[in-house]
């Protein structure tokens, strides 16, 4: 399987939140069957000059529920996250797939 990620970042007009949309594309010829160890399907991090300053999963608890998702060839699936009350600056966002059997990540530059 070949998975490629893309990450869209949008900052609210008032700068009070940043929304992330991490899309995982199956560019292979077979179905990508993803296995997740819990209810978290994707994680998001914000980097300031390479140093992590925020992570979506920090301080959150996810149901200990094994999950699965299938992405047919040529299809994609999108996972969302939100950074409430962000600080001002220039940052790099990283979206990461949390599947135990596949890896995929994407990065995007943004400013608040």
């Amino acid at each position: 399987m070949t998975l490629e990620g893309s990450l869209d970042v949008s900052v609210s007009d008032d700068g009070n939140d940043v929304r992330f949309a991490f899309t995982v594309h199956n560019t292979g010829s077979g179905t990508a069957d993803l296995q997740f160890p819990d209810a978290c399907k994707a994680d998001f991090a914000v980097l300031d000059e390479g140093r992590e300053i925020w992570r979506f999963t920090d301080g959150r608890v996810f149901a200990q529920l094994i999950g699965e998702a299938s992405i047919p060839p040529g299809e994609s699936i999108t996972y969302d996250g939100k950074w409430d009350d962000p600080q001002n600056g220039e940052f790099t966002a990283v979206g990461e797939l949390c599947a135990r059997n596949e890896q995929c990540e994407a990065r995007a530059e943004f400013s608040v």
Side-chain angles (χ1 to χ4, degrees):
M1 281 163 272
T2 305
L3 299 179
E4 292 182 7
S6 61
L7 182 62
D8 291 320
V9 180
S10 60
V11 179
S12 62
D13 290 339
D14 57 11
N16 286 333
D17 65 56
V18 177
R19 295 181 185 270
F20 306 99
F22 175 51
T23 303
V24 178
H25 309 275
N26 180 356
T27 59
S29 59
T31 298
D33 292 316
L34 308 176
Q35 300 169 357
F36 299 96
D38 58 29
C40 182
K41 307 297 187 243
D43 199 1
F44 302 92
V46 175
L47 310 177
D48 184 3
E49 297 182 2
R51 182 179 52 87
E52 185 174 303
I53 60 167
W54 177 85
R55 182 167 284 274
F56 177 73
T57 55
D58 283 353
R60 295 178 189 259
V61 177
F62 296 92
Q64 297 302 303
L65 175 63
I66 295 174
E68 296 179 350
S70 293
I71 309 173
E75 299 292 320
S76 60
I77 191 167
T78 300
Y79 301 105
D80 300 313
K82 186 169 91 168
W83 181 20
D84 292 318
D85 197 28
Q87 63 189 57
N88 291 328
E90 303 283 328
F91 305 105
T92 300
V94 181
E96 304 167 313
L97 185 65
C98 292
R100 67 167 63 141
N101 62 325
E102 292 288 338
Q103 293 183 344
C104 184
E105 88 169 28
R107 294 173 178 252
E109 306 296 320
F110 73 100
S111 60
V112 177

